[in-house]
Amino acid sequence: MELVPGQSPGDEKTEDMKEAGPSQSRPLRLHNGFRTHFPGAVRKKAFIFDGLGKFYSKEWDLAEGSGKEFCWYHVELPKGNQKLSQLAQYLIDVLCPPLKLQDILSLVSNGPFCGHVDGALVFRVNSPGPASSDFTFRIAARITDSSVITVSLGRVPRLEFSLVSESLLSEIPSVESPSMRGEEKHAGATVIKEHVLEFLLTMNHSEEVDNPVPRTLSNLLVHIVDTHVDHIQDVVTKLEMELDTVELEIDKGGFALKKQMLDDRRFPKMHLNLQRLLQVITHGEQVFPRVKEKCSSKRWFSNEDISSLEELIGRLRRIKENTGFLASRVTAIQAGLDSWQAEQINRKLYYLSFLSIIFLPLSIITGVFGMNVGGVPWTGQNNPAIKDGFRNVMLLCVAMLLLVLMCFIFPAMYTYISAWRRKRAIRRSFSLNRKSFLRKTFGVQDRSGYLRI
């Protein structure tokens, strides 16, 4: 069977590829006595490039290319609630042998890294967030002279290659309407679902249809870094569109919508996601310049690809600035909602204070005329000849009220008097200094015409 360039990696036709592929004379490296412990959990893709603008799907043997040929092996770890140790076990089952445990740990560990491991250049940009989060990015690569092994968490958009005739965007699409029930073609055009169109609108360009096939290993490396930056840009663009929609809803919404947003803590969660994106971008700013520095000394890395890496690094910095602006917008919106909530609370307290004003005189009157002064000292209620007990209690209440007022007024009066005395001393000192300055300046005249200071 003849092999077609750009064949899908899911077609496992190893015998035909060994007969028709460009590396038919090279023996394949097989896994002797190796068995996968996690079948179906990890997606594997293998390609071989002939260096002339064509690529083929190949068997997963982790063999390196010969001559102008170079191979690319890509592993997609599942996005779920797996622990980091479980992801490492996935890679051990897929890549060991021929890779060693040190290579596996350098690919799956968290944080930024760029260096040589066992003779190969390894770099990673792995954020330590939960694996199931959409804002956790993990991309790592192991590069030799004729092969590249990459590991990503989930699918990375536009990372693969496909033929133009297989793309949905190669034809003029018509957006699906409620009247089209399950129809795939309408008036000679391709029907595109509405949610697919919204997904494509968040991307900078279409899917794999416009990806040029790498002719060198350096082209492939630039393509991997470019797709990672594009992936971050897609997420930032999607957040920006979501933020624009939320701002419009807040402007048009009322009490119920704002209260729902505060209860759901929507903006604190969005701010946390933006901070995770900033962390990933910062990791890229640390790693990719070192990748460019280390690859510039390689004989297989061209000057054009070095310039492309510099452009990607500059683009990553601009994405960081845009993410910072989004974080500022989220903070401003959250501050506006907090101010609105404080205003609602103050309004309710105003109503409560108004009710207190109404019922306070009534409480005072009922409290005063409902007093039972019998048995209170200095009232003389036990003596029938003395009937001034109520008056004595009221005088005692007034005296206590004056004492409390003095306790509150005395510190304020003391502060006011101290400030007045301090101002007076400063004013007096300024007056004395001014008189002394005038006496020294104009009291003695110098014949030379200069003022003595």
Side-chain angles (χ1 to χ4, degrees):
M1 180 177 178
E2 187 177 359
L3 193 62
V4 180
Q7 186 177 359
S8 175
D11 300 334
E12 300 178 355
K13 302 178 181 180
T14 58
E15 296 297 332
D16 295 337
M17 283 184 281
K18 285 190 287 185
E19 294 178 0
S23 59
Q24 56 185 356
S25 61
R26 184 180 64 257
L28 299 177
R29 184 181 303 171
L30 300 177
H31 298 274
N32 297 325
F34 179 74
R35 185 177 64 182
T36 302
H37 298 288
F38 304 95
V42 179
R43 295 185 62 185
K44 301 180 297 182
K45 304 174 184 178
F47 302 97
I48 184 167
F49 301 84
D50 59 1
L52 300 176
K54 295 182 180 180
F55 71 101
Y56 306 88
S57 299
K58 69 182 301 291
E59 184 181 359
W60 184 271
D61 53 8
L62 298 180
E64 298 186 354
S66 62
K68 292 184 178 181
E69 299 174 0
F70 56 95
C71 301
W72 179 26
Y73 303 94
H74 180 63
V75 181
E76 291 183 6
L77 297 176
K79 286 185 71 71
N81 296 322
Q82 291 89 356
K83 296 181 180 179
L84 193 61
S85 59
Q86 189 172 359
L87 297 179
Q89 291 178 2
Y90 289 152
L91 285 187
I92 290 173
D93 286 343
V94 174
L95 300 177
C96 286
L99 267 64
K100 300 178 182 179
L101 180 60
Q102 184 180 4
D103 299 325
I104 300 299
L105 296 180
S106 62
L107 290 174
V108 78
S109 299
N110 284 329
F113 174 77
C114 180
H116 289 87
V117 179
D118 198 15
L121 177 62
V122 176
F123 73 87
R124 69 169 182 263
V125 184
N126 294 346
S127 56
S132 58
S133 175
D134 294 335
F135 300 91
T136 300
F137 294 83
R138 290 177 184 172
I139 183 71
R142 181 183 184 272
I143 307 164
T144 60
D145 292 342
S146 57
S147 69
V148 176
I149 299 176
T150 54
V151 179
S152 67
L153 183 64
R155 179 180 178 273
V156 180
R158 297 181 296 275
L159 188 60
E160 305 171 19
F161 307 95
S162 64
L163 297 176
V164 176
S165 58
E166 298 177 357
S167 174
L168 174 67
L169 302 181
S170 61
E171 301 179 8
I172 301 176
S174 60
V175 182
E176 182 185 30
S177 62
S179 60
M180 302 180 188
R181 306 223 174 165
E183 297 181 1
E184 296 183 356
K185 296 287 182 178
H186 179 70
T190 303
V191 177
I192 181 173
K193 295 184 180 298
E194 187 175 359
H195 71 277
V196 177
L197 180 61
E198 292 179 356
F199 172 75
L200 293 176
L201 285 174
T202 62
M203 294 187 173
N204 302 319
H205 50 83
S206 59
E207 279 285 345
E208 298 88 354
V209 59
D210 61 345
N211 291 336
V213 179
R215 294 178 176 268
T216 60
L217 192 67
S218 59
N219 294 152
L220 178 59
L221 179 59
V222 171
H223 170 71
I224 293 171
V225 177
D226 189 12
T227 51
H228 173 70
V229 177
D230 282 346
H231 194 190
I232 297 176
Q233 178 69 55
D234 293 341
V235 176
V236 173
T237 304
K238 188 176 180 180
L239 274 176
E240 189 173 6
M241 295 175 63
E242 181 182 356
L243 188 59
D244 294 338
T245 304
V246 169
E247 288 179 347
L248 185 61
E249 290 178 356
I250 290 178
D251 294 338
K252 295 183 178 180
F255 177 85
L257 179 62
K258 295 179 180 179
K259 188 176 184 302
Q260 183 67 30
M261 289 185 177
L262 286 172
D263 294 340
D264 294 342
R265 297 183 55 83
R266 186 169 184 177
F267 293 104
K269 293 177 182 177
M270 188 180 296
H271 192 272
L272 179 61
N273 294 331
L274 286 171
Q275 296 304 317
R276 289 178 179 173
L277 281 178
L278 286 174
Q279 185 182 26
V280 175
I281 296 172
T282 304
H283 289 175
E285 285 184 331
Q286 297 174 7
V287 171
F288 296 146
R290 297 182 61 187
V291 172
K292 184 196 72 172
E293 180 182 355
K294 292 182 179 297
C295 289
S296 59
S297 60
K298 304 291 184 180
R299 58 177 177 79
W300 46 265
F301 207 86
S302 62
N303 295 328
E304 295 179 357
D305 293 326
I306 292 177
S307 301
S308 300
L309 279 180
E310 291 179 353
E311 293 178 1
L312 290 175
I313 293 171
R315 183 183 169 194
L316 199 62
R317 291 169 181 168
R318 292 190 293 271
I319 293 176
K320 183 178 181 180
E321 294 178 357
N322 190 18
T323 307
F325 294 152
L326 290 180
S328 301
R329 288 175 60 185
V330 171
T331 304
I333 295 176
Q334 182 63 37
L337 287 178
D338 293 339
S339 177
W340 173 82
Q341 187 179 27
E343 182 181 354
Q344 298 298 320
I345 294 175
N346 291 335
R347 184 174 300 177
K348 293 178 181 179
L349 291 177
Y350 171 77
Y351 295 151
L352 184 61
S353 301
F354 186 76
L355 292 176
S356 301
I357 292 174
I358 294 176
F359 290 101
L360 182 61
L362 300 178
S363 301
I364 293 176
I365 293 173
T366 55
V368 169
F369 289 99
M371 285 184 181
N372 185 8
V373 297
V376 178
W378 306 299
T379 58
Q381 291 296 314
N382 296 329
N383 189 359
I386 303 176
K387 300 180 180 179
D388 297 332
F390 179 77
R391 184 189 63 183
N392 295 339
V393 170
M394 295 302 297
L395 292 176
L396 183 62
C397 291
V398 171
M400 293 294 295
L401 179 62
L402 293 177
L403 180 61
V404 171
L405 290 177
M406 287 297 296
C407 291
F408 280 98
I409 293 175
F410 179 76
M413 293 182 62
Y414 178 78
T415 303
Y416 177 78
I417 294 173
S418 300
W420 176 76
R421 293 182 63 183
R422 187 163 53 252
K423 291 181 181 178
R424 183 182 177 187
I426 293 174
R427 195 181 304 112
R428 183 177 180 184
S429 176
F430 175 76
S431 179
L432 293 177
N433 292 336
R434 184 171 180 274
K435 290 180 180 179
S436 176
F437 174 76
L438 293 176
R439 189 182 302 113
K440 291 179 181 180
T441 303
F442 300 102
V444 179
Q445 294 290 338
D446 193 3
R447 294 182 180 180
S448 59
Y450 292 98
L451 298 178
R452 294 192 62 165
I453 298 178

